[in-house]
Amino acid sequence: MPYPYVLLSAAVSLDGYLDDTTPERLLLSSRADFDRVDEVRASVDAILIGAGTIRADNPRLLVNSPERRAAREAAGQPAYPLKVTVSGSGDLDPAANFWHTGGEKVVYTTDKGADRVRALGIAADAVALGPELDWRRLLEHLHDVRGVRRLMVEGGGTVHTQLLRQGLADELQLVLAPLFVGDPAAPRLFGPGGYQGGRLRLVESRRIEDVVLNRYEPTAPGAGPLPTAADRHWLALACALAADCPPSDTAFSVGAVIVAADGTELARGHSREAGDPVVHAEEAALAKLDPADPRLPTATVYSSLEPCARRSSRPAPCARLILDAGVGRVVTAWREPDTFVTEADGTGLLAARGVDVLLLPEYEERAKEPNHHLL
Ligand SMILES: NC(=O)c1ccc[n+]([C@@H]2O[C@H](COP(=O)([O-])OP(=O)(O)OC[C@H]3O[C@@H](n4cnc5c(N)ncnc54)[C@H](OP(=O)(O)O)[C@@H]3O)[C@@H](O)[C@H]2O)c1
Ligand SMILES: [Zn+2]
């Protein structure tokens, strides 16, 4: 089910607000930036806003430049992009500018909302997506039925938040305006609540008069944050520590390092260290720390091989020891092969309990090096 390319566009104050709480719309962008937005609008098949923005701002959502409209028509497109809104309630003002300017309009809504839209005599196509509004179905419908390949989303925060959180946004164009709002009751770009995708990737930063346009590529939620230079350093060390393991034909050679959030090394370990013939690397490292160490919950365990989920040598596998220690993040180089146990899914076990697990396969060869005789 293909979706359109989804481009989120917004302007925020220096303190991160989309608007203030006065009835008039707060102008955040500069003149030149409004013209840039006009150009982006001219480049898309459809523009979407939430019902809240129609109520708050009563926007027209047009391509204002006659030259850009003419260019669209010359390319065989309608002069104006399709205008799209979403409303669960269907409670929309039939007199709003949105319905009476520009080209075609569509309202994505719920079954109940669609009845309301029709009863109000709203001048738009009402598409009911079921008892609840489902963004994937909405995007599918836009793509398959409306032929939309490129969608611009102009807010508000409720809409942006859902598309980012559900991993449906391909790009965020965020303009930072040099003013403060300072009113905690004002609407924000994102939230409340968190974002599972970690850090976004900055693609471009551009000054436009007195505002700055930043273009970001969101990361897919669940994909986790990108590795940092520190992650690479510590994982490389964990792989190097595996070379210190006494050789074995019945167990892997693994290295592990536990690092605090501030970058302090807390402990390191390797398999079969200090004369213990069965101890695992993560187990050896954790054993060197006080279980009540307050740095553990925000620490990272770097391990050349993913923490084991099952083992015959001791009752508790390393994934369990990491969970018991309350460590929230693991970075590893190599998924455990079926050499000694089958379905050794330590990563799955950790992730299912909320641990952030990052696999850096570019270190897999290093992790395998002291284990080639077992593979
Ligand atoms: N600075 C900027 O770039 C910018 C851009 C746009 C907007 N804004 C500001 O943002 C504010 C409005 O933002 P907002 O977050 O309140 O409104 P919004 O995101 O524009 O719209 C929210 C509404 O959309 C509908 N909706 C969204 N997701 C839904 C879902 N999953 N299921 C059912 N309905 C859904 C609901 O409509 P119903 O209530 O009808 O059910 C909901 O109330 C305004 O102050 C505006 O000025 C600023
Ligand atoms: Zn283990």
Side-chain angles (χ1 to χ4, degrees):
M1 9 115 226
Y3 302 140
Y5 182 90
V6 176
L7 184 166
L8 309 186
S9 172
V12 292
S13 63
L14 289 181
D15 49 348
Y17 292 103
L18 286 173
D19 194 2
D20 56 20
T21 49
T22 65
E24 298 78 45
R25 173 172 165 217
L26 175 68
L27 291 187
L28 290 153
S29 282
S30 64
R31 225 170 42 91
D33 188 56
F34 279 121
D35 188 58
R36 177 195 65 84
V37 169
D38 197 64
E39 190 171 16
V40 178
R41 285 182 183 173
S43 77
V44 300
D45 303 307
I47 307 172
L48 182 150
I49 55 171
T53 300
I54 297 187
R55 288 181 201 118
D57 298 346
N58 194 19
R60 293 184 163 77
L61 232 59
L62 301 174
V63 172
N64 290 305
S65 150
E67 294 78 26
R68 290 182 186 130
R69 292 199 301 268
R72 284 177 60 92
E73 289 186 300
Q77 296 170 294
Y80 295 99
L82 173 70
K83 291 204 277 192
V84 184
T85 189
V86 287
S87 166
S89 66
D91 241 322
L92 295 153
D93 177 3
N97 289 328
F98 189 87
W99 320 113
H100 304 288
T101 53
E104 286 188 51
K105 295 102 192 166
V106 54
V107 187
Y108 285 100
T109 182
T110 57
D111 297 336
K112 271 201 184 129
D115 295 340
R116 179 93 181 116
V117 168
R118 290 183 195 115
L120 286 166
I122 302 267
D125 182 15
V127 179
L129 295 170
E132 303 277 338
L133 199 133
D134 179 304
W135 283 98
R136 287 183 167 77
R137 288 196 57 204
L138 182 156
L139 292 175
E140 224 173 283
H141 191 276
L142 275 178
H143 182 277
D144 295 350
V145 178
R146 288 295 188 151
V148 173
R149 296 294 176 266
R150 200 172 150 81
L151 172 70
M152 179 181 189
V153 178
E154 291 201 49
T158 311
V159 166
H160 286 323
T161 299
Q162 294 173 74
L163 290 169
L164 282 164
R165 217 172 251 156
Q166 294 180 33
L168 298 170
D170 295 287
E171 176 176 346
L172 168 63
Q173 299 195 350
L174 185 65
V175 162
L176 193 62
L179 53 90
F180 295 108
V181 170
D183 182 347
R188 285 187 178 275
L189 170 74
F190 189 86
Y195 176 62
Q196 297 302 311
R199 291 166 78 90
L200 283 67
R201 196 168 80 83
L202 178 64
V203 182
E204 186 196 350
S205 198
R206 194 193 315 165
R207 179 182 174 158
I208 304 168
E209 292 173 346
D210 66 347
V211 306
V212 179
L213 165 69
N214 287 323
R215 288 177 50 228
Y216 298 93
E217 216 170 76
T219 43
L226 291 172
T228 62
D231 286 334
R232 296 180 192 288
H233 167 81
W234 293 114
L235 189 60
L237 173 65
C239 292
L241 289 173
D244 296 336
C245 302
S248 166
D249 284 326
T250 53
F252 288 115
S253 291
V254 180
V257 194
I258 305 172
V259 181
D262 67 3
T264 310
E265 180 183 328
L266 300 179
R268 56 171 77 184
H270 59 78
S271 317
R272 302 178 294 286
E273 77 173 19
D276 181 336
V278 294
V279 74
H280 284 190
E282 307 92 305
E283 182 186 23
L286 282 168
K288 291 167 193 158
L289 292 171
D290 175 356
D293 191 317
R295 296 168 298 182
L296 276 171
T298 53
T300 298
V301 170
Y302 295 87
S303 183
S304 59
L305 178 66
E306 78 176 320
C308 59
R310 288 198 263 156
R311 64 192 281 194
S312 43
S313 55
R314 292 254 163 87
C318 293
R320 170 47 51 205
L321 297 174
I322 289 169
L323 290 169
D324 289 348
V327 173
R329 186 164 184 264
V330 169
V331 177
T332 184
W334 181 25
R335 298 296 308 270
E336 184 173 351
D338 286 345
T339 314
F340 300 117
V341 290
T342 51
E343 291 165 35
D345 187 16
T347 296
L349 186 72
L350 289 164
R353 284 164 182 75
V355 175
D356 197 345
V357 185
L358 185 61
L359 179 73
L360 301 186
E362 58 269 43
Y363 290 87
E364 182 175 320
E365 270 318 305
R366 281 196 225 184
K368 279 181 176 169
E369 222 160 17
N371 296 292
H372 274 308
H373 61 292
L374 299 171
L375 301 173

